[in-house]
Structure formats: structure tokens, C-alpha cells
């Protein structure tokens, strides 16, 4: 053994003696197939084995990715060091949280995680290497919370040798053959993509560019990461630019983003690390970062303009997906949310029908303002007239958009849907709220049919039928509907209950108020506002307070949420009293109110109840908490939830952020209160003391922002508020 290798071996052995910070847990790594010799560009799979010698003490996070593609929960330490292939890509944004998974109790039975070293370290040169892993995946429970455990693995030695052209060609051919075979499983295709991603040769780069523009399954991460992490960045950008013109290449958002980002990176060095301790340097760094963001956005806009000029050259799915990309492009200006003009509307109908159902739903849900042109009525009608579809949300939004464009065309379809609700993938898919859009006060022709369907014991449309009865049925079937309802009183789900009670409130108000007082729930979105509008809330609130104080914590939470949204000032005292009793009962068991794997159901129920109760007090519509009350609330809150309460303290100026979710306004005050209509926004703002300054930030078109800003200006003038120059932005 050479002296350097011997020194490194001794050093790694010494470090391993101090690796484990908690003797109750261990982390062991090994190469998956037992080999320790790899080619440059070959996948190096690592098995990580976690175990605990003390039972029911340690929790292990099982998540192994997030929405950005990486989860930095492990660190792979290689000596001599290699290259982080995605360091530049992540240094200028592209980070997102999330991902599927969750904690699991760690025991003596090893929990195995698999990862590829190439994800974190690219070894572009032959040599002899050493590897160990540190992990933050495990935490230890104590009396009140979980504390992360610093873990360090054993060390491995391995060799990386030159990759000869024959091996590279064979590896490339095998991976592409797997991707092209219809019989290949999703797991096999994913493994083949990762092989291409890490191979990193000019030929694999060309293959990844082709795949990025032709895959239609919506999963592009390996292609994007392979191109972003390649050594051949100039080649990557050149290939992406040249393939833009190919008729079969779809210019997706991923395609245009990675081309813009990598082209930008070729001409710009990464920003230096953020200066944590120097305020002046932080300001300079932020200004440079913002300038770079604007430059990158301008480059993206140029590519979107080029993509628009190439639409007519595209064919089939590539054409449809390119149109979709243009419709869902990032917004830089308020005018971007208006219906598109020019040649693109002519392409939309046929392109829309060539998209997948999920892509259609996304466009109709998030980008309807851009699609709202008369030519879209025909494709929307084709979508809603399909006899069956797998997507459980598409038919509803398509029918709603068709009604928005052409009510006369949509109304017969609405009526047919009421007669024969579609069961897509086993569920009725057009919501009662959507079918309730018709202007008719009642539809007597459906009375008998709907009441008959409600009597059917195994009906799949009971919830929908109850909503339709609530919206359209007449008093002629009151006796029959009462009989059906009372036969299962107290057993209906919330949405069904809401439909029944809303019907009773319309045709027999006294009976409806009585039923609502006995079965109130926050999710009864029709009945609760109706009884408020009838000015009979005072008859219902005592029943809700009684449920708040009941033994069933799930129903008590629902009562708290109802009081938060609709309750009077008297409800505030009831909520505080209930919280004080809960605190007294649970104060010596506060450590139970923390999410843990295997927690007993009563602890989870109590945790959910406290969350709902605290949120109800802190975010209620009828009152505004002072900072002294927020301190009291924090002191009464047990477990991790109290950290949320701390953030509710406020001072002038107060942030007021205006955005829109579909057609609905979302006005958020102090990241605490959210108003979803102008009436509740007016009421909440009026509770702040005179002289308060609000910093208004708007997201939306001038047309949508105008009425909201008018309400804010009116209430400011009335109550002596000061407004920080509201400027609608995108």
C-alpha cells in the first residue's frame, strides 16, 4: 500500500471511532452488489442500514426525496473529494420541499435505505477512494419533543477505473433498449434513466435531450438532473437549442427552463455563499441575486417567444404540449392572465384535446383566464360528453368552464347530469356546487326522482342527491325527505347532512334551525351561512357550544371551527373556557401532543382537538386578539403547536396580502387571518385600532384587484388606517 493510501486508511479508521454520537443507534453502509470496483460514470449503489438497540426510543424519517429531486438528509463524504454534479443548479434556486414518506419507529430490525453515490458525488477521474456517510434521518424522543441524532457510518474503500468506449457504448445501448421496450416496468425504465443520467458521455447527453422533449409521462427529473449535472455543459446547451426546431420535440416548461438556466450558468459564475453576519454584504448579495433572477427571467421569456414561433412546425403530441407550455408560462405582468390573442387561440382547441386528462385539468383549473375564448366551447363539450374518464376532477371543472363560456350550451348537459350522474372511476365527479349554478330557483321536475334516489340504501349518489334537493327541490316532497332523513338522523356524513338541512331551512325554517342546532359542523358550508342570513344564528349557537363541551373531541373540534367562522363575541369566552379545561386536564401529559409514529388514537384525537381549538381562538372572524391574549394563548397551548401561536404577535405596519384562488379572493392579514370575500375582509380590518398601518401587497390583474383595493381604501378612510402604497404585482 502506498504511503498516501495508508495514511488515508488510518485517518478514516480513527474518525470512525468517533462517528456515532448516540450509542443506542447505528448506521452501517455497504455496496449493494458486494463489488468495490466501478467505471467512471457507472452507477454506484449504496445500502444504508439503520437500527436501534433501545426499543421505542428513536424515530426514523423514511422520506428519500423531495419535489426538487434531492433530500439533503444524508451527506456522502468521499476522499479524495469528487464533484457535486448539481451544485450550480441548486446554488441559484430550484429548491422545493415536500415528498412522500414519514417517520417510523426504529428497532433492532434494520431499516434499509438505498441511494446512489452518483446523486451526490460525481467521480470523473480514476482513483482509490474512501467513503463514509453522515445522516440526520433519526431523532430521539425526550419528554417534550424529538431531538435529532447525529449519525456517522463505517468507512468503505473502493476503486474507480477508466471507462473504455466499448463499455460506454454497451451501457448506453442497454439503457436505451430498456426505455424503448414496451414490456419494461416503470422501475426498470427509471433505473435505465439513472444509468443514462450518470453515464455522462456526449452520446448520453444527446439521448437525454431527446427524451426530455419526447417523454409524456410528466416525470422529467432524471433528464433535467442528468443535463444539469453533466460535465459537457456547452454541448448540453447546444443540443437543447438545436432540438427546439425538431417537429417531434415538445417544448415543455422543463425544457425551456433547463435551457435558460444552463445557458445562464455558462456565462455567470455562481454567487458566493450568503454572508450570514455582515448586514451590508447581505444587502449587496440580495441585490445581485435579484438582478440575476431578472436576467434569467428575461432569458426564459425570450425562449417562450421562440417556442411560440415554432408551434406551427410541431406535430401531434409535441404540438399540443408546446401549446400547453405557452398557456401555462410564468406570469411577468398583470396582462399575462388575460385571454391569449394572435395565432395561439386557433391552435388551442385541437391541442387541448391531444393533452392528457391531467394536463387538461391543470390548464382549466390554474390558467382558465388564458383559455377563456369562444373557440374552447367545442373541446370542452367533447370532454364533458365522454361516457367515462379516469380523472375524478376533470369533468366538473370542464362543465363549469363550459357554463362560463356558453350557458345555453351547458344547461342541457347540466340537466342530463342531474338525471344521470356520471360515476367516473367509481365516484360521481360533478359536484353539487357546480350543478347548482343554474339560475332556476327550483326544478320541480326532479323532485320525485331525487327523493326516490335518496331512499335507495346503497346509492353511490346519496351525497350529491342531498345537495341537489337542498338547492332545487320544492316543498312538495318535504314529508318524504323528512322521513328519509330521520330514518338515519345523526348518521349522515357532513356534506349529505348539509344538503338535507339547507333544504329544510328553505322550505321549513323552524325544523331546519332545530336540526342544525343538533348537528352543527364547520363543513356545513350551505346551512351555516343560510341561518346567519336568516338572522337566526342565536338559536343555533348554544347547540354548537354544547357540542364544543362534549366528550367527542372530533365533533368538539368541528364546533370550534364553526364558532371561529360564524360565532358571536360570546363564543370567544366559550372557546377560552374550553381551552383552559383542556389545558388543566392535559398539562402533565403535554409530551403526548406531538406527532409520533405509533401514537395512540386518543393522543392523536387530543392533538387534533387542541389544534382546532387554538386555531379557532386565534383566527376567528368576530374578534382580534391583543398581544397579551396571544401570550395567554401560547401559555395554554401544549406541545409543538405553541410555536405557531408565537408567530401571531403583531405590530404596525401589518402585512396584508391579496391573491386569488380561482374566482375567489384570498386576503391574508398578518399571516394569521384569511378572508375569502370582501364582506369578511371589511369586518376583520375594522377590528384593528385607529392609526394602524397596512402594507398591501397584491397579486392579480388590475381588474381583479380594483374592487378589493376599493374596500381597503374605504375602510382605511373610515377607521383612520394608513396604507403603504398598494401596487398590484404578478
Amino acid at each position: 500500500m502506498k504511503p498516501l493510501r495508508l495514511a488515508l486508511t488510518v485517518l478514516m479508521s480513527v474518525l470512525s471511532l468517533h462517528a456515532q454520537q448516540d450509542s443506542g443507534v447505528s448506521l452501517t453502509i455497504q455496496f449493494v452488489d458486494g463489488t468495490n470496483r466501478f467505471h467512471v460514470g457507472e452507477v454506484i449503489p449504496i445500502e444504508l442500514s439503520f437500527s436501534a438497540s433501545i426499543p421505542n426510543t428513536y424515530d426514523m424519517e423514511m422520506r428519500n426525496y423531495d419535489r426538487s429531486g434531492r433530500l439533503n438528509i444524508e451527506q456522502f463524504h468521499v476522499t479524495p473529494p469528487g464533484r457535486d454534479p448539481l451544485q450550480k443548479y441548486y446554488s441559484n434556486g430550484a429548491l422545493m420541499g415536500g415528498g412522500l414518506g414519514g417517520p417510523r419507529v426504529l428497532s433492532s430490525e434494520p431499516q434499509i435505505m438505498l441511494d446512489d453515490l452518483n446523486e451526490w458525488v460525481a467521480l470523473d477521474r480514476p482513483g482509490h477512494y474512501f467513503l463514509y456517510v453522515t445522516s440526520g434521518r433519526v431523532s430521539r424522543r425526550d419528554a417534550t419533543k424529538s431531538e435529532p441524532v447525529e449519525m456517522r457510518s463505517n468507512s468503505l474503500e473502493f476503486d474507480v477505473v477508466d471507462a473504455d468506449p466499448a463499455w460506454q457504448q454497451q451501457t448506453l445501448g442497454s439503457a436505451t433498449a430498456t426505455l424503448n421496450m414496451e414490456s419494461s416496468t416503470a422501475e426498470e425504465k427509471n433505473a435505465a434513466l439513472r444509468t443514462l443520467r450518470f453515464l455522462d458521455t456526449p452520446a448520453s447527453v444527446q439521448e437525454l435531450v431527446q427524451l426530455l422533449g419526447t417523454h409524456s409521462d410528466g416525470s422529467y427529473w432524471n433528464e433535467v438532473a442528468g443535463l444539469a449535472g453533466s460535465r459537457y455543459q456547452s454541448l448540453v446547451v447546444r443540443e437543447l437549442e438545436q432540438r427546439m426546431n425538431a417537429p417531434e420535440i415538445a417544448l415543455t416548461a422543463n425544457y425551456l427552463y433547463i435551457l435558460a438556466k444552463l445557458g445562464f450558468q455558462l456565462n455567470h459564475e455562481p454567487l458566493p455563499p450568503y454572508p450570514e453576519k455582515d448586514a451590508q454584504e447581505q444587502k449587496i448579495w440580495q441585490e445581485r441575486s435579484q438582478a440575476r433572477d431578472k436576467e434569467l427571467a428575461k432569458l426564459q421569456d425570450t425562449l417562450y417567444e421562440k417556442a411560440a414561433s415554432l408551434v406551427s412546425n410541431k406535430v401531434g403530441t409535441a404540438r399540443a404540449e408546446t401549446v400547453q407550455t405557452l398557456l401555462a408560462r410564468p406570469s411577468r405582468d398583470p396582462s399575462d392572465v388575460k385571454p391569449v390573442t394572435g395565432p395561439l387561440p386557433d391552435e388551442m382547441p385541437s391541442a387541448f384535446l391531444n393533452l392528457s386528462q391531467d394536463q387538461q385539468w391543470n390548464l382549466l383549473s390554474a390558467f382558465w383566464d388564458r383559455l377563456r375564448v369562444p373557440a374552447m366551447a367545442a373541446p370542452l363539450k367533447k370532454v364533458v360528453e365522454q361516457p367515462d374518464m379516469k380523472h375524478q376532477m376533470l369533468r366538473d371543472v370542464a362543465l363549469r368552464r363550459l357554463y362560463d363560456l356558453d350557458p345555453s350550451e351547458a344547461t342541457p348537459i347540466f340537466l342530463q347530469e342531474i338525471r344521470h350522474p356520471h360515476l367516473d372511476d367509481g365516484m360521481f365527479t360533478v359536484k353539487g356546487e357546480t350543478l347548482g349554478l343554474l339560475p332556476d330557483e327550483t326544478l320541480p321536475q326532479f323532485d320525485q326522482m331525487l327523493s326516490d334516489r335518496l331512499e335507495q340504501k346503497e346509492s353511490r349518489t346519496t351525497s350529491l342527491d342531498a345537495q341537489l334537493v337542498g338547492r332545487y327541490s320544492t316543498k312538495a316532497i318535504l314529508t318524504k325527505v323528512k322521513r328519509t332523513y330521520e330514518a338515519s338522523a345523526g348518521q349522515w356524513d357532513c356534506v349529505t347532512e348539509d344538503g338535507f338541512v339547507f333544504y329544510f331551512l328553505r322550505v321549513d325554517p323552524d325544523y331546519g334551525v332545530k336540526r342544525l342546532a343538533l348537528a352543527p359542523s364547520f363543513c356545513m358550508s350551505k346551512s351555516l351561512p343560510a341561518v346567519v342570513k336568516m338572522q337566526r344564528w342565536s338559536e343555533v349557537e348554544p347547540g354548537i357550544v354544547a357540542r364544543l363541551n362534549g366528550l367527542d373531541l372530533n365533533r368538539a373540534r368541528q364546533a370550534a371551527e364553526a364558532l371561529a367562522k360564524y360565532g358571536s363575541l360570546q363564543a370567544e369566552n366559550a372557546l377560552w373556557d374550553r381551552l383552559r379545561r383542556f389545558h388543566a386536564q392535559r398539562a402533565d401529559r403535554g409530551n403526548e401532543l406531538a406527532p409520533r409514529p405509533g401514537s395512540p388514537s386518543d393522543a392523536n384525537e387530543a392533538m387534533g382537538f387542541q389544534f382546532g381549538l387554538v386555531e379557532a381562538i386565534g383566527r376567528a372572524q368576530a374578534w382580534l386578539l391583543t398581544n397579551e391574549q396571544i401570550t395567554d394563548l401560547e401559555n395554554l397551548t401544549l406541545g409543538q403547536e405553541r410555536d405557531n401561536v408565537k408567530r401571531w404577535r403583531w405590530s404596525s405596519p401589518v402585512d396584508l396580502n391579496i391573491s386569488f384562488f380561482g374566482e375567489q379572493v384570498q386576503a391574508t392579514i398578518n399571516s394569521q387571518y384569511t378572508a375569502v370575500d370582501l364582506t369578511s375582509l371589511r369586518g376583520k380590518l375594522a377590528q384593528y385600532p385607529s392609526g394602524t398601518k397596512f402594507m398591501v401587497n397584491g397579486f392579480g390583474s388590475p381588474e381583479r384587484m380594483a374592487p378589493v383595493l376599493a374596500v381597503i381604501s374605504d375602510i382605511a378612510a373610515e377607521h383612520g388606517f394608513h396604507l403603504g402604497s398598494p401596487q398590484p404585482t404578478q
Side-chain angles (χ1 to χ4, degrees):
M1 183 179 288
K2 294 182 179 181
L4 176 59
R5 182 180 298 184
L6 177 60
L8 286 171
T9 303
V10 172
L11 174 62
M12 299 300 292
S13 299
V14 171
L15 289 173
S16 295
L17 294 176
H18 302 282
Q20 206 64 52
Q21 301 299 310
D22 191 320
S23 60
V25 286
S26 65
L27 166 60
T28 304
I29 62 171
Q30 65 179 15
F31 296 115
V32 170
D33 58 2
T35 186
N36 62 352
R37 185 175 183 273
F38 306 92
H39 294 91
V40 171
E42 184 176 355
V43 180
I44 304 178
I46 308 292
E47 179 185 282
L48 294 82
S49 176
F50 297 81
S51 61
S53 59
I54 307 172
N56 299 317
T57 303
Y58 301 93
D59 297 327
M60 175 178 170
E61 173 58 57
M62 301 303 295
R63 192 157 53 102
N64 210 27
Y65 73 98
D66 70 9
R67 289 174 289 171
S68 68
R70 269 188 170 183
L71 183 68
N72 294 306
I73 204 166
E74 268 90 36
Q75 301 290 323
F76 291 76
H77 306 270
V78 177
T79 307
R83 170 177 62 91
D84 180 351
L86 296 178
Q87 189 274 330
K88 280 190 175 181
Y89 180 77
Y90 283 115
S91 68
N92 195 30
L95 289 172
M96 294 175 69
L100 298 176
R104 180 179 298 176
V105 177
L106 194 59
S107 67
S108 58
E109 183 70 24
Q111 291 287 347
I112 305 299
M113 305 294 291
L114 299 177
D115 213 333
D116 297 325
L117 177 61
N118 318 62
E119 178 74 52
W120 313 97
V121 183
L123 300 174
D124 301 325
R125 297 179 180 178
H128 186 76
Y129 293 91
F130 297 82
L131 165 70
Y132 70 91
V133 176
T134 55
S135 177
R137 192 177 290 277
V138 174
S139 59
R140 180 186 179 109
R141 305 175 190 171
D142 66 12
T144 58
K145 58 184 178 179
S146 296
E147 294 287 350
V149 175
E150 181 183 347
M151 300 188 70
R152 179 169 172 159
S153 75
N154 57 303
S155 299
L156 299 176
E157 295 184 54
F158 63 103
D159 293 296
V160 175
V161 300
D162 266 324
D164 59 86
W167 178 85
Q168 290 176 333
Q169 186 59 41
Q170 180 185 11
T171 303
L172 177 69
S174 177
T176 54
T178 299
L179 290 169
N180 292 328
M181 282 193 298
E182 291 185 5
S183 59
S184 298
T185 66
E187 290 76 14
E188 290 170 339
K189 289 187 176 183
N190 185 65
L193 276 173
R194 291 180 72 79
T195 296
L196 287 178
R197 171 185 167 187
F198 299 136
L199 183 59
D200 196 20
T201 64
S204 69
V205 164
Q206 293 172 339
E207 187 66 29
L208 287 172
V209 170
Q210 180 71 19
L211 290 170
L212 181 61
T214 54
H215 266 186
S216 59
D217 63 358
S219 176
Y220 299 95
W221 170 244
N222 281 308
E223 294 95 318
V224 168
L227 297 173
S230 173
R231 291 171 287 175
Y232 306 103
Q233 289 295 288
S234 295
L235 172 64
V236 170
V237 172
R238 186 166 64 250
E239 286 290 324
L240 286 167
E241 289 175 338
Q242 291 175 351
R243 299 286 182 95
M244 283 187 75
N245 300 303
E248 78 281 2
I249 294 295
L251 300 180
T252 63
N254 280 295
Y255 194 107
L256 299 180
Y257 175 75
I258 196 64
L259 174 54
K261 189 171 178 66
L262 297 187
F264 182 85
Q265 288 176 184
L266 278 177
N267 299 306
H268 297 77
E269 289 296 321
L271 283 173
Y274 183 74
E276 297 287 350
K277 299 181 179 180
D278 189 322
Q280 185 62 33
E281 288 297 319
Q282 288 174 1
K283 183 178 180 181
I284 295 172
W285 190 96
Q286 290 166 354
E287 290 173 349
R288 289 183 60 191
S289 177
Q290 292 170 0
R292 288 164 66 98
D293 288 344
K294 290 180 180 178
E295 190 175 347
L296 177 59
K298 186 176 180 180
L299 180 56
Q300 281 185 273
D301 288 341
T302 300
L303 290 174
Y304 274 92
E305 292 171 7
K306 183 176 181 180
S309 71
L310 295 172
V311 167
S312 59
N313 298 334
K314 301 296 178 182
V315 295
T317 302
R319 191 169 189 158
E321 293 199 358
T322 302
V323 172
Q324 181 204 20
T325 300
L326 295 171
L327 291 171
R329 71 189 185 278
S331 298
R332 314 290 186 200
D333 181 85
S335 63
D336 277 354
V337 300
K338 295 179 179 178
V340 294
T341 57
L344 194 55
D346 297 332
E347 302 283 347
M348 282 173 12
S350 59
F352 181 82
L353 291 174
N354 281 329
L355 296 172
S356 70
Q357 292 182 353
D358 192 61
Q359 290 170 323
Q360 291 173 344
W361 173 80
N362 180 62
L363 283 176
L364 294 177
S365 300
F367 300 97
W368 174 238
D369 284 341
R370 290 180 181 166
L371 279 74
R372 199 178 185 279
V373 295
M376 281 298 297
L380 287 172
K381 189 174 180 182
K382 286 186 178 181
V383 169
V384 300
E385 288 181 341
Q386 293 178 70
D388 183 47
M389 59 177 65
K390 293 298 182 183
H391 201 291
Q392 295 181 346
M393 295 180 285
L394 175 59
R395 191 186 304 277
D396 179 82
V397 70
L399 187 52
R400 184 181 285 265
R401 299 316 187 197
L402 179 59
Y403 187 80
D404 183 26
L405 276 182
D406 191 344
S408 64
E409 193 74 43
T411 295
I413 303 175
F414 271 63
L415 299 177
Q416 182 63 16
E417 190 68 30
I418 293 173
R419 290 188 187 93
H420 303 289
H422 277 90
L423 290 172
D424 294 320
D425 207 21
M427 294 179 60
F428 69 84
T429 52
V430 180
K431 300 175 184 177
E433 182 182 3
T434 298
L435 294 177
L437 290 174
L438 298 177
D440 308 72
E441 184 175 338
T442 60
L443 294 174
Q445 67 268 36
F446 293 127
D447 277 356
Q448 195 62 42
M449 181 197 72
L450 291 173
S451 61
D452 287 346
R453 287 205 315 230
L454 280 174
E455 288 183 327
Q456 297 174 14
K457 296 296 184 183
E458 303 300 325
S459 173
R460 292 186 178 183
T461 62
T462 298
S463 178
L464 175 64
D465 293 333
Q467 294 174 69
L468 293 173
V469 165
R471 171 63 180 86
Y472 292 120
S473 291
T474 71
K475 193 172 183 177
I477 58 171
L478 175 60
T479 301
K480 188 176 181 181
V481 174
K482 274 187 179 181
R483 184 170 62 245
T484 302
Y485 173 79
E486 291 173 353
S488 301
Q491 301 176 35
W492 301 108
D493 66 84
C494 185
V495 175
T496 305
E497 180 91 28
D498 193 33
F500 276 119
V501 172
F502 188 65
Y503 170 71
F504 298 140
L505 288 172
R506 280 199 303 110
V507 302
D508 188 353
D510 290 339
Y511 182 78
V513 169
K514 177 182 176 183
R515 295 312 311 177
L516 184 59
L518 293 173
S521 180
F522 173 72
C523 61
M524 298 179 71
S525 58
K526 298 291 185 184
S527 302
L528 290 173
V531 81
V532 171
K533 188 175 182 180
M534 294 164 61
Q535 297 185 346
R536 299 187 66 172
W537 175 259
S538 60
E539 299 174 54
V540 171
E541 188 171 87
I544 300 178
V545 171
R547 181 159 292 197
L548 173 71
N549 294 314
L551 297 178
D552 187 329
L553 293 186
N554 289 324
R555 290 184 177 273
R557 173 178 174 172
Q558 293 173 355
E561 291 167 342
L563 292 171
K565 187 167 185 179
Y566 304 105
S568 66
L569 286 172
Q570 288 72 28
E572 182 182 7
N573 292 330
L575 290 167
W576 279 101
D577 289 344
R578 185 67 180 92
L579 180 60
R580 291 187 182 95
R581 291 200 306 276
F582 179 85
H583 178 85
Q585 293 165 355
R586 289 272 178 173
D588 59 345
R589 293 182 291 160
N591 62 313
E592 295 179 1
L593 301 183
R596 291 196 182 101
S599 294
S601 58
D602 64 326
N604 290 328
E605 190 176 75
M607 190 166 23
F609 171 65
Q610 179 186 244
F611 173 81
L613 184 55
V614 170
E615 291 280 305
I617 294 172
R619 301 182 190 269
Q621 173 65 30
W623 56 83
L624 173 70
L625 295 185
T626 65
N627 284 332
E628 291 76 13
Q629 288 176 308
I630 292 172
T631 298
D632 291 342
L633 188 60
E634 180 187 343
N635 292 333
L636 288 171
T637 303
L638 302 170
Q640 298 177 4
E641 176 62 18
R642 67 186 306 163
D643 292 334
N644 294 326
V645 178
K646 292 178 183 178
R647 294 193 285 268
W648 291 344
R649 290 188 177 86
W650 60 275
S651 60
S652 183
V654 178
D655 285 333
L656 173 54
N657 298 315
I658 310 299
S659 60
F660 296 88
F661 184 77
E663 305 301 319
Q664 192 175 60
V665 65
Q666 300 271 8
T668 303
I669 309 172
N670 189 40
S671 298
Q672 180 178 1
Y673 304 100
T674 299
V676 294
D677 58 68
L678 297 184
T679 300
S680 57
L681 173 60
R682 180 183 291 275
K684 177 51 65 178
L685 289 175
Q687 295 166 12
Y688 282 84
S690 178
T692 301
K693 182 175 182 179
F694 290 93
M695 297 301 298
V696 184
N697 299 299
F699 181 94
S701 66
E703 294 85 353
R704 302 180 88 183
M705 288 293 300
V708 184
L709 294 179
V711 167
I712 295 172
S713 297
D714 287 347
I715 200 73
E718 183 179 347
H719 291 268
F721 298 149
H722 305 285
L723 301 180
S725 304
Q727 293 293 330
T729 59
Q730 286 298 127

